[in-house]
Amino acid sequence: MNQKIFVSAKEVADRAGVSRSAVSRTFTPGASVSEETRRRVIEAAEALGYHVNHLARGLMRNESGLVCLIVSEMDTPYRSSLIRAISHQLQAVSKIAMLINTDRSDKSVDDALRLAISYRADASIILSGMPDKSITDLCVKSGQRLVLINRDEEREGALMINLNDREAAHRAFIAFQRAGCRRVAFANSDVGTPSLMAREEGFVAAAIEAGVEVIVERFGPTRYQSGVILAQRLLTREARPDAIFCANDLLACGVMDTARHQFKLTVPDDICVIGFDYIEQCSWSSYDLTTFAQPVDQIAKEAVSWLTHPAKTDSIASQISPELVWRGSVRGG
C-alpha cells in the first residue's frame, strides 16, 4: 500500500538554500521577496512536488477558507445553477465550498453540519427556506458568518438576500390582464417556503385589488409531476382558468404539457402560463415559457463579496427584483 507523503516547507527551504520564512513569503501574494530567491524556491518546490498547505496556514490565522453551502432540493435546475454560481465565486477568492444536503430534516442533517463545523468552516450560506431555523442557531453558536438566501428569518450580523416575490407576482397578474385573461389561477406546491408563499400571496392580493377572483391549488413537492396534478385539478373545474401563474418553472412545464396533451388546449390561445426561476428548459421550443429570471450570478456575487469583507455586527438585507422574460406562453408576450 502506497503511503501519501506531503512535502514540507522546510524541505523546500533546505533544497533551495533559503530560510523557511522565504518559502512562506514566496507563496504569499504581495509579500516581499527577491527575484533570485523566488526563482530558487519555485524550482525546489517543483522538483519536490510541494504544494502550500492552505488549511494549516488558514488555521494559524483562525481561518479555514471553508464555506458550507446548506442546500435542499439540490437536484432541481434552479438550485443546481445557484450552487454552480456560488461555488465559482468562492473558488475565485480562494475559498472552498463544502456542500451539505438538507433534503431530510432528521438527525442526519444536524450530524452533517456538526461535521462541517468540526473542520472549522468560516461561514455558511443557506440557499433555501427548507432547513429548520435550528440550523442557523448551530451556525451562529459555532462563530460562523451567515448568508441567508430566500429565508424569512433575521439574524444579527447576517446578510439576507431575498427576491421581491410579491412585486413579481403583481406583474404576472397585470400581464394576464393585458392578455385578456379573465379567470386566473395560482399553482403552488405544498412545500411552503417563504419565497413560494410570497409569490402566492402577492398574486392573490393583486387579483383581489382588481376585483378578480383567483383560484389557488397546492400539491406535493415543487416538481414537474406536481404540475401535472395541479393542471388536472384546475382544468377539470366547471369554470376552467384561462391563465395560470406557477410558483416555479418545473410546475409550469408540468402544467403546460398536461394542458396540451391531456386536455388538448393550445398555449397561449386557450390558456396562458407564467413560471418563475428561468431554468434552461424554459427556452426550449416545446415550452417557450414566459418566466421571471432568478439572478443567480448577482446573488452569488453579493453573497461571496460580503463574506470576503470584514465581519459586521449589523444585519444587512438585500432585495432583488427578478426580471420578467417574455416568451410565447402569454398572448401578446
Side-chain angles (χ1 to χ4, degrees), residues 244-280:
I244 303 176
F245 180 30
C246 299
N248 82 343
D249 291 337
L250 288 177
L251 292 178
C253 290
V255 165
M256 290 179 70
D257 283 344
T258 304
R260 290 180 298 194
H261 302 309
Q262 291 187 17
F263 293 88
K264 308 307 178 185
L265 300 177
T266 301
V267 180
D269 295 335
D270 298 321
I271 186 168
C272 294
V273 181
I274 295 178
F276 205 108
D277 279 348
Y278 193 57
I279 64 176
E280 181 185 355

Side-chain angles (χ1 to χ4, degrees), residues 187-188 217-219 226-234 251 255:
N188 204 352
E217 282 285 358
R218 304 188 194 102
F219 178 80
S226 297
V228 172
I229 301 299
L230 289 164
Q232 292 169 345
R233 289 183 178 182
L234 290 168
L251 292 178
V255 165

Side-chain angles (χ1 to χ4, degrees), residues 82-95 97 300 304:
L82 186 55
I83 293 170
R84 182 171 59 250
I86 292 176
S87 61
H88 284 171
Q89 289 291 326
L90 288 171
Q91 289 168 199
V93 294
S94 300
K95 300 289 186 182
V304 175

Side-chain angles (χ1 to χ4, degrees), residues 118-192:
S118 71
Y119 281 94
R120 302 295 190 269
D122 298 330
S124 282
I125 302 176
I126 302 183
L127 279 68
S128 166
M130 285 287 289
D132 189 84
K133 290 184 179 181
S134 62
I135 296 291
T136 56
D137 290 335
L138 190 57
C139 294
V140 169
K141 287 178 182 177
S142 72
Q144 292 185 8
R145 301 187 70 191
L146 280 180
V147 176
L148 308 176
I149 300 176
N150 290 332
R151 289 177 68 89
D152 64 346
E153 62 180 304
E154 184 172 334
R155 287 285 179 177
E156 183 178 354
L159 171 64
M160 295 159 290
I161 303 176
N162 290 285
L163 297 181
N164 195 338
D165 293 289
R166 287 180 173 80
E167 187 267 342
H170 189 272
R171 292 165 63 195
F173 177 77
I174 292 174
F176 286 150
Q177 274 197 315
R178 292 178 178 172
C181 302
R182 295 293 177 262
R183 298 179 305 280
V184 299
F186 187 85
N188 204 352
S189 69
D190 278 328
V191 174

Side-chain angles (χ1 to χ4, degrees), residues 253 256 260 279-289 327:
C253 290
M256 290 179 70
R260 290 180 298 194
I279 64 176
E280 181 185 355
Q281 289 84 344
C282 294
S283 65
W284 294 358
S285 59
S286 57
Y287 295 114
D288 196 25
L289 177 64
R327 292 202 178 98

